[in-house]
Amino acid sequence: MDYRVQGNDIIVFESDLDLDETLDCGQAFRWKKIPSDYECTYEGAFLNDKLTVSQLSKGSFIFHNTDENAFISRWISYFDFETDYSELKRAFSEDETLSKACSFAGGIRLLRQDSWECLISFIISQNNNIPRIKGIIDRLCDNYHGRFPDHEQLSRETAESLSYLRSGFRAKYLADAAAKVADGSADLAKIAEMPIENARNELKKIKGVGPKVAECVLLFGMYRTEAFPVDVWIKRVLAEYYPGGFPGYLSDKAGIAQQYLFHYIRSISKDKE
């Protein structure tokens, strides 16, 4: 990744990034595509740092109204710019199915999200679709004056007081998660450093956190790239292409590989419909 400062903007050059593939693939829910004169433009936030970013052309981007300090301290990490995705895709492409997936959507990157925001987002995501998930998170942030509430703020809520979210059964899970994080019984920083199986078990002590949500929090919120979320699409991939199991040599980056496979199988399935 290279970049240069241009007035109040940062111009970024990164061949292994596509905004549509990265920001609208279901790994984060606070990004919205907005009309613009560019190839595409998104508005979003990481915690409470807001960003407008546009794709100028393949491999070139503009981070609007962003100073160099903010770009270095926040957005380089968030977009995982310090990881060489060309090398990752080279390793993935030794596998025939992953080679096709990487060729199909080579601009996917893993977003390095905050563990608390990620936990709440994926509790909301259960048995839900992306537009509705985004709507619930929008209502949550609107209630806190456009900011994502921290665990102390949310711990003062109850399932009843969260009725404005219209999140159904998930409200009681949100209240439980906030209470456990606030009182320290679910220490997300410690969980992030645990052996992976211990981390899974600790996350699943939070009501409403089952195997899939735990894997998503580990992967997207704690950058545990060995975590491997399995939903109906990935079950289909595993059954059809990996009946003997996912390749062991990719286990430490299996979560990133999963992102390419998830996008690929959904897209080709839609094409067949």
Side-chain angles (χ1 to χ4, degrees):
M1 185 273 298
D2 293 315
Y3 74 90
R4 60 180 168 84
V5 179
Q6 181 174 290
N8 295 324
D9 304 324
I10 304 290
I11 308 300
V12 176
F13 304 96
E14 172 54 71
S15 59
D16 297 307
L17 172 63
D18 181 273
L19 292 186
D20 285 330
E21 292 171 3
T22 296
L23 298 180
D24 201 30
C25 68
Q27 61 173 314
F29 305 104
R30 293 184 69 192
W31 294 97
K32 294 180 181 178
K33 195 171 187 177
I34 62 172
S36 75
D37 293 329
Y38 302 104
E39 191 169 298
C40 66
T41 297
Y42 283 82
E43 287 181 342
F46 170 51
L47 289 173
N48 294 310
D49 291 332
K50 296 183 179 180
L51 177 69
T52 301
V53 57
S54 297
Q55 186 156 330
L56 304 176
S57 60
K58 182 175 174 58
S60 63
F61 309 86
I62 180 168
F63 284 57
H64 300 274
N65 299 310
T66 305
D67 63 41
E68 189 171 18
N69 287 336
F71 180 72
I72 291 171
S73 64
R74 180 67 75 193
W75 301 114
I76 284 179
S77 174
Y78 182 79
F79 283 91
D80 204 17
F81 280 142
E82 293 181 320
T83 298
D84 186 346
Y85 276 70
S86 289
E87 178 57 27
L88 276 179
K89 288 184 286 186
R90 185 205 61 75
F92 293 161
S93 293
E94 293 179 16
D95 174 86
E96 182 180 357
T97 303
L98 266 169
S99 179
K100 293 176 183 176
C102 290
S103 296
F104 183 81
I108 292 175
R109 300 183 79 87
L110 194 68
L111 299 173
R112 301 185 68 161
Q113 300 175 59
D114 172 74
S115 57
W116 162 249
E117 183 173 324
C118 191
L119 171 65
I120 294 304
S121 296
F122 278 94
I123 287 174
I124 290 169
S125 77
Q126 297 176 87
N127 301 312
N128 224 338
N129 59 56
I130 290 176
R132 191 160 185 271
I133 297 164
K134 289 184 175 183
I136 293 170
I137 293 173
D138 282 348
R139 290 191 287 277
L140 179 64
C141 294
D142 287 346
N143 189 64
Y144 287 91
H145 309 291
R147 300 172 68 83
F148 198 95
D150 61 32
H151 52 77
E152 291 291 347
Q153 291 172 307
L154 202 60
S155 70
R156 295 191 283 271
E157 300 267 23
T158 64
E160 291 73 27
S161 72
L162 289 170
S163 62
Y164 66 89
L165 294 179
R166 304 196 297 278
S167 61
F169 66 88
R170 303 165 191 85
K172 62 180 179 290
Y173 298 153
L174 297 176
D176 183 73
K180 283 186 167 68
V181 175
D183 70 17
S185 58
D187 188 323
L188 298 180
K190 288 183 178 179
I191 291 171
E193 300 299 323
M194 289 178 181
I196 191 76
E197 201 56 45
N198 293 356
R200 288 176 175 128
N201 292 334
E202 287 300 310
L203 285 170
K204 286 187 282 188
K205 290 178 182 179
I206 299 168
K207 289 180 182 177
V209 176
K212 182 194 168 188
V213 171
E215 293 299 297
C216 288
V217 175
L218 287 164
L219 178 61
F220 304 125
M222 298 178 175
Y223 202 67
R224 297 296 296 269
T225 58
E226 71 270 43
F228 193 82
V230 175
D231 67 350
V232 293
W233 294 105
I234 295 301
K235 283 181 181 177
R236 186 181 300 182
V237 169
L238 295 174
E240 186 170 345
Y241 299 105
Y242 303 103
F246 195 70
Y249 75 94
L250 296 174
S251 60
D252 64 330
K253 300 294 184 185
I256 298 177
Q258 182 263 12
Q259 286 294 99
Y260 294 102
L261 291 169
F262 176 76
H263 191 83
Y264 176 64
I265 194 67
R266 282 199 313 165
S267 298
I268 65 171
S269 295
K270 287 177 183 177
D271 290 342
K272 292 177 181 177
E273 291 176 357

